[in-house]
Amino acid sequence: MRKRYSLRRYLVGAVVARAGDEMAGPALMLAGFAVAGSSVEASSLLAGITLSAAVGGPLLGALLDRAARPGRLLAGALVLYAAGLGAILAGLGRLPFAVTVLIAAVTGLAGPALSGGWTAQLPGVVPGDRLARANALDAMTFSAAALTGPALAGGVAEAAGAPWAVAASVMLVALALPAAWTLPARSPVRPTRAREEGAARPVRPVCPGGTGPPERSSRARPPKRSARPVCPGEAAPPEHPAREGEPERSARPDVVKPPGHPARERQPGRSARTRGGRGDRGTRTASMAGDLLAGVRIIVARPALARATLASTVSCVAQGMLTACVPLLGERVLGGAGRGAALLSCAAVSALLATAVLARFPRALAPGTVIWAGALVQAAALASAATGSPLVLVVAFLATGCAEGPQLAALFTVRHREAPERLRGQVFTTGASVKITGFAVGAATAGPLATRSLPAALLLAAAVAAAAAPAYFAIRADRRPHLRTEPHPTGSPGCRPTDCSDRY
């Protein structure tokens, strides 16, 4: 008997892959800074590997939702990411810098696989009643990766040089391949469209005149699945279809269809077929295009999901600006560019501890409150980091981590709650790609500004983080109760089908 895929295996694979990803960013910045000697080129390299996530995220999500074995696809994305990092390392100082940035952009297409693509598979690993705790533990893997990744990048860069830090990140991503390859297969049972749109139960057909079909007796022979309830006065459909070579029966006894000419029925969702299967290929192409937009439509149409995505993306812009300032903060405040990575480790430690507290009390605060309040805490911490004091700088990064960790866990809670099962991969990868793109925009904006004035870049990052709170409330909340046919992902007892969205 095949052994069940355990949550521990999932978490180990996630933390290793994400540690490699978190290590790759600072390592690439340090390598670019060492080769070019400017923070502008270093931030451009980081922006190149992150901006392309806007394209790769939705495409990867659509493929994951269609794949019977999404783990195999995730493993392929990890191979692409690791190979791309190796190509960037080989091209630094040997190829024109623009070509190296282009390689980084191609590598970034697989970036959402390590974040949203992996997290979207969590409901297939644990049952619904354990999803709340598993969700917080999954958010802790980001904090643990953010703790070990920058620390390893700074330590390896100080000991052996920045290129070896990039090589170490490649090895970490490669170590996560077995855990991704063996992720459980997707369940063959998929929810119907009515279920995705929130229908509580099937609608009973209504006959002309407002009367419903007669109720069947419990002793009556159960009808076939294709049988439709018959209204009073309506002729019953034939019990047996016409056999091949016999005239087809009709509802009117005087009408007989000639043999050999079966009636053509248009299949729902299918276009007219042409020779060579061109109609089928066109249908699959249209369906793929629809799936690519489905995640965006769900995020925009559901206010809770839209508010969380917008606020977290604005916060990611501020986090990207702060990351672009890390080499200069380490060089000017701590005495070495490599020491700036230790500041990111300080933020990761506090994020890990704060998320662990949230995992112990997952319902102490509403997810929305954690998201917008965390943005305000980050804004205050970034403003205090502009003072230039080493002690205040460390405290500021600790406060930033205390806000980032619970904010990420709250975002995952909202996504698991609002995303339909058929589009969960789309929602997670699209949301992750939007956040990564915001991070890249922040890093690209703060790089040139930090070269001219480091305090000005930090104050601008604080203003952007503070803007996340009004951005959250700019989207009007949906006060209507949502009918659900599935148990709540957090497994909360006593949640009636009409008040789950209002309670959480």
Side-chain angles (χ1 to χ4, degrees), residues 241-253:
R243 297 180 180 178
E244 184 177 358
E246 295 181 2
E248 185 177 350
R249 302 176 186 179
S250 174
R252 294 177 55 186

Side-chain angles (χ1 to χ4, degrees), residues 75-116:
L78 293 182
V79 171
L80 174 63
Y81 194 75
L85 290 177
I88 295 172
L89 178 59
L92 277 175
R94 298 178 180 87
L95 298 176
F97 191 76
V99 177
T100 307
V101 173
L102 180 60
I103 297 174
V106 176
T107 304
L109 292 173
L114 284 79
S115 53

Side-chain angles (χ1 to χ4, degrees), residues 51 168 198 209 223 226 264 291 314 322 343 409 443 458:
L51 275 175
S226 60
R264 295 183 179 179
D291 286 348
V314 176
L322 177 62
L343 294 173
L458 292 172

Side-chain angles (χ1 to χ4, degrees), residues 290-314:
D291 286 348
L292 288 175
L293 297 177
V296 179
R297 285 197 297 263
I298 288 293
I299 293 176
V300 174
R302 304 199 173 184
L305 197 54
R307 299 172 97 188
T309 302
L310 179 60
S312 62
T313 301
V314 176

Side-chain angles (χ1 to χ4, degrees), residues 146-163:
L147 169 63
T148 57
L152 287 174
V156 174
E158 286 284 341

Side-chain angles (χ1 to χ4, degrees), residues 105-349:
V106 176
T107 304
L109 292 173
L114 284 79
S115 53
W118 206 303
T119 303
Q121 312 308 317
L122 185 59
V125 177
V126 297
D129 56 345
R130 296 169 52 195
L131 190 58
R133 179 175 175 272
N135 182 48
L137 293 176
D138 183 54
M140 289 176 65
T141 63
F142 284 90
S143 301
L147 169 63
T148 57
L152 287 174
V156 174
E158 286 284 341
W164 284 103
V166 180
S169 66
V170 172
M171 290 187 290
L172 283 178
V173 174
L175 286 176
L177 286 175
W181 183 268
T182 55
L183 277 167
R186 189 179 304 279
S187 174
V189 180
R190 293 177 178 262
T192 60
R193 182 169 298 275
R195 191 174 195 178
E196 292 175 4
E197 297 176 355
R201 51 184 175 272
V203 180
R204 187 186 180 195
V206 179
C207 298
T211 61
E215 299 290 343
R216 297 186 178 94
S217 173
S218 58
R219 298 183 179 179
R221 182 180 179 182
K224 297 182 179 180
R225 291 179 178 265
S226 60
R228 178 180 63 84
V230 182
C231 297
E234 181 181 358
E239 184 175 359
H240 300 285
R243 297 180 180 178
E244 184 177 358
E246 295 181 2
E248 185 177 350
R249 302 176 186 179
S250 174
R252 294 177 55 186
D254 56 336
V255 178
V256 179
K257 296 183 180 181
H261 297 277
R264 295 183 179 179
E265 296 181 2
R266 184 180 179 181
Q267 300 180 3
R270 297 276 185 178
S271 59
R273 299 186 179 183
T274 58
R275 292 183 179 180
R278 288 176 294 177
D280 290 342
R281 288 196 296 268
T283 301
R284 289 194 295 268
T285 303
S287 179
M288 174 63 73
D291 286 348
L292 288 175
L293 297 177
V296 179
R297 285 197 297 263
I298 288 293
I299 293 176
V300 174
R302 304 199 173 184
L305 197 54
R307 299 172 97 188
T309 302
L310 179 60
S312 62
T313 301
V314 176
S315 297
C316 260
V317 175
Q319 294 165 15
M321 299 176 74
L322 177 62
T323 304
C325 298
V326 163
L328 289 176
L329 284 172
E331 185 180 45
R332 298 181 184 180
V333 180
L334 301 179
R339 297 178 182 178
L343 294 173
L344 298 178
S345 297
C346 291
V349 168

